[in-house]
Amino acid sequence: MTADRETTIWRNARLATFVKGAPGLGVVEPGAIVAHGRRIVFAGLEHDARRARNSARIVDCEGRWITPGLIDCHTHLVYAGSRAAEFEARLAGASYEDIARAGGGIASTVRATRAASEDELVRQSLPRLDALLAEGVTTVEIKSGYGLDLATERKMLRAARRLAEGRRVEVRATFLGAHALPPEFAENRAGYVAEVADAMLPALAAEGLVDAVDGFCEGVAFSRQEMRRVFVRAKSLGLPVKLHAEQLSNSGGAALAAEFGALSAEHLEYASEEDAAAMARAGVVATLAPGAFYMLRETKVPPIDLFRRYGVPMAVSTDCNPGTSPMTSLLLALNMAATLFRLTVEECLAGITLNAARALGLEASAGSLEPGKWADLAIWDIERPAELVYRLGFNPLHARVWRGR
């Protein structure tokens, strides 16, 4: 019997199913999961799974908890080089402007990423990916945006695809050409926006390298009008959009994301009540990035109460990147989201499962334990799910299952 046809039962477990509409975490105990090949065919009370036992492979979970495989829905995981020297300089009193004038900041990562080969990008990125997988991550989004020219953006996206070939993980590749203004277009903003929308995006989409399109809508990056041009082109190509919005100021990005029915708007520290209402109407996920909030020593907290009031689903991410969130622990991001943003345990865990899947357009196939979805599981040595949020520097993963294996 091949792995794709094999039936497996994980029994004697406590399930946190995260099924939409179920109360709380969707707890089932004693529970069992049955997978036929790569997909779940049953998730519920163990007693009801017994009829599937004939010829099935049985895994005794010995009372452990099972959650859906974790999803990191916002990372910049593929890049070259390090910004540790800049971090050290900031601690010694250097300002962001000082570092930028010395050639640091995003420009330094762009230089290093342009200089690296595709093989080197894969080599440098694998340890970051492996750290996430070791905590039960089974799906990860990876953005480009450190090339800012067609050749390097292509190289980054190809490296992201290769990471999925070398590991058992789902990778969603997001084109972030509108991340910053490259030096060669320093005096020609309109020219670069046109390059992103009319040259880079169509070419990369035609090569099958793009699952979604992102941008940075902010005073230090691109305006709402500039991002609109990119989004119009993305929609014409049938690609979903998402947006870095309201991180440093209220720049109209969240409203733009809502207008275009974006999968998610990300960061959102300066989002308004009108933004929250618009996002709720459009079904836009609020993807939080507590690591960047922490590293930048921000004090303006995202409007969590507004998101709750209007029913905006909230996801939690590492925002793994070399400058403002060099973090490769989604469990640490949970604790930060709870401590810094006051999310509940339920909100934190839904933020790395069901809502994170929704932020990637994968709600139909991932993010909860229910029939028809991929058999992506994380099995934990914990007494209660709150431990995943509460404990620092502790990884209680017992086993990670991807597509039933």
Side-chain angles (χ1 to χ4, degrees):
M1 184 179 292
T2 67
D4 284 346
R5 295 180 180 178
E6 184 177 58
T7 297
T8 303
I9 302 176
W10 291 268
R11 60 166 297 273
N12 190 14
R14 291 178 281 179
L15 311 182
T17 62
F18 295 95
V19 173
K20 197 171 186 178
L25 305 179
V27 172
V28 177
E29 53 180 327
I33 294 172
V34 182
H36 183 65
R38 295 155 63 88
R39 293 192 182 270
I40 295 171
V41 296
F42 173 86
L45 289 169
E46 181 174 343
H47 179 272
D48 296 333
R50 289 177 181 171
R51 62 182 179 271
R53 286 191 177 183
N54 291 339
S55 75
R57 182 174 70 96
I58 307 295
V59 179
D60 186 350
C61 293
E62 301 178 323
R64 294 182 176 90
W65 281 90
I66 302 180
T67 68
L70 306 189
I71 299 171
D72 194 348
C73 62
H74 176 163
T75 85
H76 306 252
L77 191 142
V78 171
Y79 61 85
S82 168
R83 304 255 285 276
E86 296 174 20
F87 175 69
E88 188 175 10
R90 284 200 305 273
L91 294 178
S95 69
Y96 183 87
E97 290 76 14
D98 295 335
I99 292 169
R101 280 196 297 270
I106 190 173
S108 66
T109 300
V110 170
R111 286 194 301 274
T113 304
R114 287 180 174 182
S117 68
E118 184 181 313
D119 287 345
E120 181 61 19
L121 286 180
V122 171
R123 188 191 69 78
Q124 290 193 35
S125 301
L126 271 174
R128 296 188 280 267
L129 176 62
D130 286 342
L132 293 174
L133 303 190
E135 289 189 346
V137 170
T138 51
T139 301
V140 61
E141 185 242 26
I142 300 177
K143 304 179 192 293
S144 65
Y146 290 122
L148 309 183
D149 61 30
L150 177 57
T152 314
E153 292 290 303
R154 176 186 287 118
K155 181 172 61 178
M156 292 184 70
L157 293 167
R158 285 176 55 87
R161 293 286 195 229
R162 284 178 57 187
L163 291 176
E165 296 168 3
R167 295 291 186 269
R168 290 180 175 178
V169 64
E170 171 88 359
V171 169
R172 303 299 287 178
T174 297
F175 172 61
L176 182 58
H179 191 196
L181 199 64
E184 57 269 27
F185 282 89
E187 306 301 324
N188 185 10
R189 294 182 61 85
Y192 184 65
V193 173
E195 176 73 8
V196 169
D198 301 333
M200 291 191 208
L201 178 51
L204 296 170
E207 295 171 30
L209 293 173
V210 180
D211 298 315
V213 176
D214 198 350
F216 189 14
C217 186
E218 190 56 74
V220 299
F222 296 95
S223 70
R224 179 173 173 170
Q225 291 71 29
E226 289 165 336
M227 283 311 312
R228 178 183 296 279
R229 178 168 182 179
V230 176
F231 279 8
V232 167
R233 177 49 64 95
K235 288 295 189 179
S236 76
L237 295 169
L239 292 169
V241 299
K242 46 178 48 192
L243 190 63
H244 288 58
E246 327 305 1
Q247 182 184 8
L248 307 174
S249 64
N250 191 289
S251 304
L256 182 70
E259 177 187 340
F260 279 83
L263 293 173
S264 63
E266 322 202 349
H267 292 285
L268 297 167
E269 280 84 339
Y270 287 83
S272 67
E273 183 167 359
E274 292 76 13
D275 293 331
M279 289 171 62
R281 287 192 299 269
V284 179
V285 176
T287 296
L288 307 176
F293 180 92
Y294 167 83
M295 284 291 291
L296 293 172
R297 300 179 182 177
E298 290 288 350
T299 57
K300 177 72 170 173
V301 175
I304 303 302
D305 286 341
L306 289 175
F307 295 151
R308 289 173 179 148
R309 185 187 312 166
Y310 285 96
V312 177
M314 291 180 286
V316 177
S317 70
T318 63
D319 186 20
C320 173
N321 76 75
T324 61
S325 189
M327 179 165 65
T328 52
S329 172
L330 195 53
L331 297 181
L332 178 57
L334 288 187
N335 184 273
M336 288 182 171
T339 304
L340 300 174
F341 297 164
R342 300 294 191 266
L343 265 64
T344 66
V345 166
E346 181 182 331
E347 287 169 337
C348 284
L349 295 175
I352 58 170
T353 54
L354 185 63
N355 290 341
R358 186 171 174 179
L360 297 180
L362 296 176
E363 189 178 8
S365 60
S368 62
L369 303 178
E370 54 188 313
K373 295 201 173 184
W374 292 119
D376 292 352
L377 317 175
I379 305 175
W380 306 98
D381 278 315
I382 54 176
E383 287 302 314
R384 57 191 298 144
E387 286 187 57
L388 300 178
V389 181
Y390 154 72
R391 301 186 71 159
L392 289 168
F394 176 72
N395 181 6
L397 186 72
H398 172 74
R400 171 184 172 275
V401 178
W402 185 74
R403 303 297 195 263
R405 294 182 289 173

